Amino acid sequence: MSKTSPGRFFEDYRLGEVIDHAVPRTLTAGERALYHALYPARHALHSSDTFAQGCGLPASPFDDLIVFHTVFGKTVPDISLNAVANLGYAEGRWLAPVWPGDTLSARSEVIGLKQTSSGQTGIVWVRTTGRSQHGAPVLDYVRWVMVRKRDAAAAAPDTHVPDLRAALDPGDLTVPEGLDFTRYDFAASGERYALGDYTKGEIIDHVDAVTVEEAEHMMATRLWQNTAKVHFDTRARPDGRRLIYGGHVISLARALSFNGLANAQMLAGLNAGSHVNPCHASDTVTAWSEVLDTAPTDAPGIGAIRLRLVASTEPGTDLRDADGRYLGHVLLDLDYWALCPA
Amino acid sequence: MSKTSPGRFFEDYRLGEVIDHAVPRTLTAGERALYHALYPARHALHSSDTFAQGCGLPASPFDDLIVFHTVFGKTVPDISLNAVANLGYAEGRWLAPVWPGDTLSARSEVIGLKQTSSGQTGIVWVRTTGRSQHGAPVLDYVRWVMVRKRDAAAAAPDTHVPDLRAALDPGDLTVPEGLDFTRYDFAASGERYALGDYTKGEIIDHVDAVTVEEAEHMMATRLWQNTAKVHFDTRARPDGRRLIYGGHVISLARALSFNGLANAQMLAGLNAGSHVNPCHASDTVTAWSEVLDTAPTDAPGIGAIRLRLVASTEPGTDLRDADGRYLGHVLLDLDYWALCPA
Amino acid sequence: MSKTSPGRFFEDYRLGEVIDHAVPRTLTAGERALYHALYPARHALHSSDTFAQGCGLPASPFDDLIVFHTVFGKTVPDISLNAVANLGYAEGRWLAPVWPGDTLSARSEVIGLKQTSSGQTGIVWVRTTGRSQHGAPVLDYVRWVMVRKRDAAAAAPDTHVPDLRAALDPGDLTVPEGLDFTRYDFAASGERYALGDYTKGEIIDHVDAVTVEEAEHMMATRLWQNTAKVHFDTRARPDGRRLIYGGHVISLARALSFNGLANAQMLAGLNAGSHVNPCHASDTVTAWSEVLDTAPTDAPGIGAIRLRLVASTEPGTDLRDADGRYLGHVLLDLDYWALCPA
């Protein structure tokens, strides 16, 4: 039995340690098609080579969340196999488009450690970078998770909580080389709204909803080679229910947000995110967005829009109760920057 | 909320109006593989490059129903989001094969309008054309749907019912350029029957059956970017059940028809079609065909066979009751032309 | 009804008969992606072009089981449509890697026949060869199945039981041209164990498990164009349950075996295999392996490891009861050779 990996426990991490995650992954037109089968994704830049070419790109790049899930999946065996909870994201940036045929690999640096007061668990902060076969970074982000200790009596490490920014500035965002929205085709994209049509504080209810099936979330999660047992094995949790990978909910909500945000074409920054409540098969997931900010960029015709994206199992755009706690039907509260026509 | 599209209502359509549907779609080897995973499709021309090359084509083109579903899916947000019923098809023609890497877009012209006697709904006829990135048409067909009115008090438009043909003539069909069945490989195709082996009135029970799952029909329907809520959201209908996209039943039945019609390789014409009863997950779908006609074509070794394709949830080849009404277990009654070795 | 194939019965086979199976199949990046969505497959050689290139190959070839399933699927309409049971495999060899764009076809020779004592069924042995579009064999194996007689009164054929080897010798295995593990990247592969780290008799519990869904096994089985009714049609068996294709369990178990056998990269030989008990949706499948043998090869840096792979619906590594019978929760007992770094 000694050859199988039980995953790392809290006391296995050292501040500053660099972990090269195993199994680089080549992504192809097959992953692209599966993404469209698994999520109601319709953003034109990721659906159509001709649309992407009209925006200055050589072809349609992968949906930015395919890149996120693939890199994230690589980290699971080393970071979150024994995680109790995925606590947050920060400082996430998409740095270059990824194309069919590219091979992604991932590396993480441990940038923070803090044992929790119970002494049973600790919080690990990692900064993960995904790279293509050319060595160029395509994505980096910080994630922190609560991880079990193997041995509650093991000594606590020195506490180091990294200093993370609440949100990226528009100037921190990378616009893909060549991207140009000056001749943007609003008829082909599906909606007529440009950056100036959105106002801070505006709420958009995306109306559509999807009732989720076990086969779907497991196929998606396997596609990203995410190995966390709780997503696949009904014996992994006391209640006998499989937990849906939080990233599945992110992709569902982002795809549903097409209806009202069809022109928020590419993700550029991930400011923050919380998986507020677990999602299970047979839940019906709906989504709404709040416009948090808008900003120009230096790139031709391109603006940046900062959005809160909320996934919920109930209609409506409520988020918290009177005491400021998330409502029980809220699944996800995500804060990101997207690129759209200015 | 104003930025999300509620879809069009009956009073939003004008006779002669042309609608360019959004989100052009690039199809790849991924969509091809998913088609084989979702349907028991085995027609050799769509399974094998070598078989297709033996028939004069450069490679295996997409299954003709992939083209149909993709074009149809593009029209849903503009035509059938508020449809009560999909009433019929006519004058459908596949005009050129579509290949991995091609990008399809769709345009519809409103060719008929008629308010129903209730005053609550109206019938909209559209002629839809799908085009490749080269601008060449690959498919056109007429479809009519019953659409809700936003306001029952809105004035009825002038009634215009288009003059549609009951069926295409064999001479109306387009044979793909280069297609040649003179050296057709009957061993590789799976059956030995050519056009002359089929007789008008012959009934073929395709024997096989598939019990349908929610995850499958939703993945298929999403793949075509079909956004009709009733297929995905258990809250969309009073009975809490998801309706299976009618085109899913068409593809299931067509794939099942391999057993007896393995040489009816390519679809060339869609004469008529009715989705007679709804299909739900856990239904077991079986199919039978009736030979309606056979005809030569001018192309080398190629004949045309006109077929009624019936999908049903019960074994047997009954269609109507004593009063001429469709039986409750009949799902689909489709009338099409296919190309086969002469 | 006469045009549909009812499949062959026992009395339809003749010793020495050669059957060319219909519908050659072109495999693409789409099938590759679906394999990763349907199974928790992580072996680096089949996940990553860069890893495969580091092992001397031009790109990542298809998972060897994709090749097996595709060839097997071709044989079903001719060999096992009326099979009562799939009894065994022997002398299976993977002879060359298969790449996206290749087209596979299959041919079987009847090498054994034996009527069973009941007189209702008989055993048919076939040696099946899968070939690429270039005519080169990529896989051959022997399989035997118990097939129904159409007419119990039909005369029994002369009994001929082929002489099959209990296991291939290491020298019988084909190492893909160019494969070279001398610069094998153990960090990228996910584990540090080479051939010398495994000892005969060692048991590896692969720990992970997957709860199986109907949609998943049907999509997989359709992808291989396997047409056996029992996998798809709830009416095909008296208990109303769909039987999961035995090959689905093989792929699940092989993928789960990554955890402990990440470096057993490529399958080279199939010595034997039994589908001991049926698998149904909602079963949770887990796997363990026993090291049966290890051997060097002449190829650079490459060793061969012979493994027993057992799939089970219960945790633990028990196989048989006190009387030597397989336990009721064992699904699969497979004996194969894999190539790994020496």
Side-chain angles (χ1 to χ4, degrees):
Chain A
M1 298 219 190
S2 62
K3 285 198 175 72
T4 59
S5 168
R8 286 163 167 250
F9 293 87
F10 180 63
E11 57 265 52
D12 299 327
Y13 296 93
R14 299 286 168 267
L15 192 69
E17 180 183 5
V18 171
I19 303 170
D20 279 307
H21 305 296
V23 190
R25 174 69 180 279
T26 304
L27 297 169
T28 70
E31 278 76 13
R32 185 184 182 280
L34 271 160
Y35 198 83
H36 281 101
L38 291 163
Y39 307 109
R42 287 194 287 150
H43 285 90
L45 199 77
H46 300 300
S47 294
S48 167
D49 282 344
T50 56
F51 189 90
Q53 287 156 0
C55 297
L57 299 180
S60 174
F62 282 118
D63 193 294
D64 307 291
L65 289 173
I66 293 181
V67 178
F68 177 79
H69 296 316
T70 302
V71 171
F72 184 102
K74 301 289 101 191
T75 72
V76 168
D78 299 312
I79 305 300
S80 45
L81 212 57
N82 296 307
V84 182
N86 197 26
L87 296 173
Y89 308 101
E91 300 185 3
R93 295 179 307 156
W94 282 267
L95 299 165
V98 177
W99 313 94
D102 281 354
T103 299
L104 299 188
S105 57
R107 167 182 290 187
S108 296
E109 182 183 352
V110 179
I111 61 167
L113 290 170
K114 182 186 174 192
Q115 185 162 309
T116 54
S117 53
S118 73
Q120 308 284 326
T121 59
I123 300 173
V124 180
W125 282 260
V126 292
R127 185 181 299 274
T128 297
T129 305
R131 288 176 195 275
S132 76
Q133 70 276 23
H134 309 298
V138 297
L139 171 71
D140 65 15
Y141 64 93
V142 172
R143 167 162 88 114
W144 56 106
V145 291
M146 186 180 296
V147 179
R148 274 187 212 98
K149 291 180 76 176
R150 183 184 293 105
D151 171 13
D158 291 343
T159 290
H160 181 88
V161 176
D163 187 25
L164 298 170
R165 298 156 67 184
L168 295 168
D169 289 327
D172 296 326
L173 307 178
T174 299
V175 177
E177 202 183 315
L179 193 71
D180 181 340
F181 284 165
T182 51
R183 285 174 302 277
Y184 191 88
D185 184 342
F186 289 90
S189 75
E191 290 180 354
R192 64 176 187 274
Y193 310 108
L195 189 67
D197 297 311
Y198 291 93
T199 52
K200 222 162 148 165
E202 180 178 354
I203 303 276
I204 303 163
D205 182 342
H206 302 300
V207 179
D208 298 311
V210 173
T211 306
V212 183
E213 298 294 314
E214 301 280 13
E216 291 171 346
H217 77 82
M218 292 202 297
M219 286 182 69
T221 308
R222 271 193 292 257
L223 192 60
W224 323 123
Q225 299 184 314
N226 180 328
T227 57
K229 291 175 179 55
V230 292
H231 307 318
F232 300 107
D233 179 355
T234 51
R235 297 196 199 112
R237 287 162 41 85
D239 67 1
R241 303 178 75 186
R242 283 164 276 188
L243 280 188
I244 292 180
Y245 162 49
H248 192 66
V249 178
I250 295 178
S251 277
L252 272 176
R254 160 72 178 157
L256 290 168
S257 79
F258 176 91
N259 201 344
L261 287 166
N263 294 327
Q265 290 283 359
M266 299 189 84
L267 304 188
L270 177 60
N271 297 310
S274 298
H275 299 288
V276 177
N277 284 296
C279 182
H280 299 98
S282 86
D283 284 350
T284 297
V285 178
T286 186
W288 57 272
S289 294
E290 179 184 353
V291 179
L292 298 177
D293 204 357
T294 63
T297 80
D298 293 338
I302 297 170
I305 184 165
R306 184 178 161 198
L307 295 156
R308 156 175 277 165
L309 173 62
V310 178
S312 170
T313 57
E314 295 289 338
T317 59
D318 294 330
L319 188 64
R320 297 178 188 273
D321 66 15
D323 298 323
R325 288 175 303 220
Y326 281 111
L327 293 165
H329 54 74
V330 173
L331 303 176
L332 172 76
D333 185 7
L334 196 80
D335 177 342
Y336 71 101
W337 282 103
L339 303 178
C340 63
Chain B
M1 299 220 189
S2 62
K3 285 199 175 69
T4 59
S5 168
R8 285 165 168 247
F9 292 87
F10 180 63
E11 57 266 51
D12 298 328
Y13 296 94
R14 297 288 168 267
L15 192 70
E17 181 182 4
V18 171
I19 303 170
D20 281 307
H21 306 296
V23 189
R25 175 68 179 280
T26 303
L27 296 170
T28 72
E31 279 76 14
R32 186 184 180 281
L34 271 160
Y35 198 83
H36 280 102
L38 292 164
Y39 306 109
R42 288 194 287 149
H43 285 90
L45 198 78
H46 300 299
S47 293
S48 167
D49 283 343
T50 56
F51 189 91
Q53 286 156 1
C55 298
L57 300 179
S60 174
F62 282 118
D63 193 294
D64 307 290
L65 290 172
I66 293 182
V67 178
F68 177 78
H69 296 317
T70 303
V71 171
F72 185 102
K74 300 290 103 189
T75 72
V76 167
D78 298 312
I79 306 298
S80 45
L81 213 57
N82 297 306
V84 182
N86 197 26
L87 297 174
Y89 307 102
E91 299 185 2
R93 294 179 309 156
W94 281 267
L95 299 165
V98 176
W99 313 94
D102 281 353
T103 300
L104 300 188
S105 58
R107 167 182 290 187
S108 297
E109 182 183 350
V110 179
I111 61 168
L113 290 171
K114 182 186 172 191
Q115 183 161 311
T116 54
S117 53
S118 74
Q120 308 283 326
T121 59
I123 300 173
V124 180
W125 283 259
V126 291
R127 185 180 301 273
T128 298
T129 304
R131 289 174 195 275
S132 76
Q133 71 276 22
H134 309 298
V138 296
L139 171 72
D140 66 16
Y141 64 93
V142 173
R143 167 162 86 116
W144 55 107
V145 292
M146 186 181 295
V147 179
R148 274 188 211 97
K149 291 180 76 175
R150 183 185 289 105
D151 171 11
D158 291 342
T159 291
H160 181 87
V161 177
D163 187 24
L164 298 170
R165 295 156 68 186
L168 295 169
D169 290 327
D172 296 327
L173 307 178
T174 299
V175 176
E177 202 182 316
L179 193 71
D180 181 339
F181 284 165
T182 52
R183 285 174 302 278
Y184 192 87
D185 185 342
F186 288 90
S189 74
E191 290 180 356
R192 64 177 188 275
Y193 310 108
L195 189 67
D197 296 312
Y198 292 93
T199 51
K200 218 162 151 167
E202 181 178 353
I203 302 276
I204 303 164
D205 183 341
H206 301 301
V207 179
D208 299 311
V210 173
T211 306
V212 182
E213 298 294 314
E214 300 281 11
E216 292 172 346
H217 77 81
M218 291 201 298
M219 287 183 67
T221 308
R222 271 193 292 257
L223 192 59
W224 322 124
Q225 299 184 313
N226 179 328
T227 57
K229 291 175 178 57
V230 291
H231 306 317
F232 302 106
D233 178 356
T234 51
R235 296 196 201 112
R237 286 162 41 84
D239 67 2
R241 303 179 75 186
R242 282 163 276 186
L243 279 188
I244 292 180
Y245 161 48
H248 192 65
V249 178
I250 295 177
S251 277
L252 272 176
R254 160 72 178 158
L256 290 169
S257 78
F258 176 90
N259 202 343
L261 287 166
N263 295 326
Q265 291 282 0
M266 300 189 82
L267 305 188
L270 177 60
N271 297 311
S274 296
H275 299 289
V276 176
N277 284 295
C279 182
H280 300 97
S282 85
D283 284 350
T284 298
V285 178
T286 187
W288 57 271
S289 293
E290 179 185 352
V291 179
L292 298 178
D293 204 356
T294 63
T297 80
D298 292 338
I302 298 170
I305 185 166
R306 185 178 161 197
L307 295 156
R308 156 176 277 164
L309 174 62
V310 177
S312 170
T313 57
E314 295 289 340
T317 58
D318 293 330
L319 188 65
R320 297 179 188 272
D321 66 14
D323 298 325
R325 287 174 303 217
Y326 281 110
L327 292 164
H329 54 74
V330 173
L331 303 176
L332 172 75
D333 185 7
L334 197 79
D335 176 343
Y336 71 101
W337 283 103
L339 303 179
C340 63
Chain C
M1 298 217 190
S2 63
K3 285 199 176 70
T4 59
S5 168
R8 285 165 168 248
F9 293 87
F10 181 62
E11 58 265 51
D12 299 328
Y13 296 94
R14 298 286 168 268
L15 192 70
E17 181 182 5
V18 171
I19 303 170
D20 281 307
H21 305 296
V23 189
R25 175 68 179 281
T26 304
L27 296 170
T28 71
E31 278 76 14
R32 186 183 181 281
L34 272 160
Y35 198 83
H36 281 102
L38 292 164
Y39 307 109
R42 287 193 286 148
H43 285 91
L45 198 78
H46 300 299
S47 293
S48 166
D49 282 342
T50 56
F51 188 91
Q53 287 155 2
C55 297
L57 300 180
S60 173
F62 282 117
D63 193 294
D64 307 290
L65 289 172
I66 293 181
V67 178
F68 177 79
H69 296 317
T70 302
V71 171
F72 184 102
K74 299 289 103 190
T75 72
V76 168
D78 298 313
I79 305 299
S80 46
L81 212 57
N82 297 306
V84 182
N86 197 27
L87 298 173
Y89 308 102
E91 300 185 2
R93 295 179 307 156
W94 282 267
L95 300 166
V98 177
W99 313 94
D102 281 352
T103 300
L104 300 187
S105 57
R107 167 183 290 187
S108 296
E109 182 183 350
V110 179
I111 61 166
L113 290 172
K114 181 186 173 191
Q115 183 161 311
T116 55
S117 53
S118 74
Q120 308 284 326
T121 59
I123 301 173
V124 180
W125 283 260
V126 292
R127 185 179 300 274
T128 298
T129 306
R131 289 174 194 275
S132 76
Q133 70 278 20
H134 309 300
V138 297
L139 171 72
D140 65 16
Y141 65 92
V142 173
R143 166 163 86 115
W144 56 107
V145 292
M146 187 181 295
V147 179
R148 273 188 213 98
K149 291 179 75 177
R150 183 185 291 107
D151 172 12
D158 291 342
T159 291
H160 181 88
V161 176
D163 187 24
L164 298 170
R165 296 156 66 184
L168 295 168
D169 290 326
D172 296 327
L173 307 178
T174 300
V175 177
E177 202 182 315
L179 192 72
D180 181 341
F181 284 165
T182 52
R183 286 175 302 278
Y184 192 88
D185 184 342
F186 288 90
S189 75
E191 291 180 355
R192 64 177 187 275
Y193 310 108
L195 188 68
D197 297 312
Y198 292 92
T199 52
K200 220 161 148 165
E202 180 178 354
I203 302 276
I204 303 163
D205 183 342
H206 300 301
V207 180
D208 299 311
V210 173
T211 305
V212 182
E213 297 295 314
E214 300 281 12
E216 292 171 346
H217 78 81
M218 292 202 296
M219 287 182 69
T221 308
R222 270 193 293 257
L223 192 59
W224 323 124
Q225 298 185 313
N226 180 328
T227 57
K229 291 175 178 56
V230 292
H231 307 317
F232 301 107
D233 178 356
T234 52
R235 295 194 201 115
R237 286 163 41 86
D239 68 1
R241 302 179 76 187
R242 282 163 276 186
L243 280 188
I244 292 179
Y245 161 50
H248 192 66
V249 177
I250 295 178
S251 277
L252 273 175
R254 161 73 179 158
L256 290 168
S257 79
F258 177 91
N259 201 344
L261 287 167
N263 295 327
Q265 290 283 359
M266 298 189 84
L267 304 188
L270 178 60
N271 298 311
S274 296
H275 299 289
V276 177
N277 284 296
C279 182
H280 299 99
S282 86
D283 284 350
T284 297
V285 179
T286 186
W288 57 272
S289 295
E290 178 185 354
V291 179
L292 298 179
D293 204 357
T294 63
T297 80
D298 294 337
I302 298 170
I305 184 165
R306 184 177 161 199
L307 295 155
R308 158 177 275 165
L309 174 61
V310 178
S312 169
T313 57
E314 295 290 338
T317 59
D318 295 330
L319 188 64
R320 296 178 188 272
D321 65 17
D323 298 323
R325 285 174 304 217
Y326 281 110
L327 294 164
H329 53 73
V330 173
L331 303 176
L332 171 76
D333 185 7
L334 197 80
D335 176 342
Y336 71 100
W337 283 104
L339 303 178
C340 63

